[in-house]
Amino acid sequence: MMKLVVLISGRGSNLQAILDAQLPVEIAAVISNRPDAAGLDLARARGIPALALDHKQYASREAFDNALIGVIDRYQPELVVLAGYLRILGDSFVMHYAGRLMNIHPSLLPSFPGLDTHARALAEGVKIHGCTVHFVTPMLDHGPIIVQAAVPVHSNDTAATLAARVLAAEHCVYPKAIAWFAQGRLLLLDNGQVNLRDDSGSEQTLFISGSLP
Ligand code: GRF
């Protein structure tokens, strides 16, 4: 079974969705940069090794990233999954896991990289919002897009109602993307795009839209 390590910083609802999906993967460890992350308890409750590596204990980003690599690599994961991991990773960390580091971002990238995506989407008056699962590259919230889910924006939405709708979509697509990776179905093309290989071996472009809550 493919081994993965999940990095979190907080409540861990995406982690929970990944666990609930009962994918044919071994979640070797869950690691948080914040010792109080609720997601750590979730992992422990399922018997998964859950560790905190407090970034505040390290003098520099590089020192922390190197320590994190050391802990992750003890588990020899084939994939590292960022699930609400709210700390910027340095270039050497990202390059160390090139092609096997996945992130979920709560917007339809390349729109709204960074923080406060839902409030910014409302301020722009967009009619469609959503989330993106992508491979991580050194540029923040960029990188080859694996799958996106779109949700409608309603005229009476607040950042909170919109966030909840997007989060439900996140919980659908992240387990799917991980399953595709585990099945060897994600093709990273030379042009930086990702295609999904279907069961017959041909390729198809990904797009999931619309009818999510
Ligand atoms: C999610 O919206 C994710 O897209 C973003 O941070 C949030 C984490 O939520 N990167 P959770 O910890 O998975 O509940």
Side-chain angles (χ1 to χ4, degrees), residues 28-86:
V30 172
I31 304 171
S32 171
N33 65 310
R34 297 183 51 154
D36 60 350
L40 289 175
D41 294 331
L42 249 173
R44 286 188 192 111
R46 311 257 183 142
I48 296 168
L51 300 90
L53 199 65
D54 187 351
H55 63 268
K56 295 196 201 98
Q57 306 293 323
Y58 292 83
S60 66
R61 184 180 305 283
E62 205 188 356
F64 174 71
D65 281 1
N66 286 336
L68 186 56
I69 287 174
V71 176
I72 293 171
D73 285 356
R74 266 187 237 151
Y75 296 95
Q76 301 191 303
E78 284 139 288
L79 177 66
V80 177
V81 172
L82 307 180
Y85 184 74
L86 304 177

Side-chain angles (χ1 to χ4, degrees), residues 8-15 82-86 103-106 118 131 166-167 170-171:
I8 62 167
S9 296
R11 71 189 155 179
S13 72
N14 275 289
L15 169 66
L82 307 180
Y85 184 74
L86 304 177
N103 183 43
I104 189 157
H105 181 75
H118 310 302
C131 62
V166 171
L167 193 64
E170 292 183 38
H171 297 162

Side-chain angles (χ1 to χ4, degrees), residues 105-191:
H105 181 75
S107 79
L108 292 173
L109 292 173
S111 294
F112 311 118
L115 297 174
D116 299 325
T117 55
H118 310 302
R120 286 159 58 210
L122 288 177
E124 291 292 345
V126 299
K127 306 302 180 203
I128 297 171
H129 188 41
C131 62
T132 303
V133 180
H134 65 99
F135 285 116
V136 177
T137 58
M139 205 200 267
L140 181 68
D141 296 331
H142 281 76
I145 292 174
I146 297 165
V147 61
Q148 294 183 301
V151 302
V153 179
H154 301 316
S155 55
N156 59 352
D157 265 331
T158 62
T161 60
L162 185 54
R165 195 174 305 120
V166 171
L167 193 64
E170 292 183 38
H171 297 162
C172 293
V173 291
Y174 215 1
K176 274 193 210 308
I178 293 165
W180 291 333
F181 185 95
Q183 293 159 352
R185 292 178 64 193
L186 295 179
L187 295 182
L188 190 46
L189 307 178
D190 288 343
N191 65 5

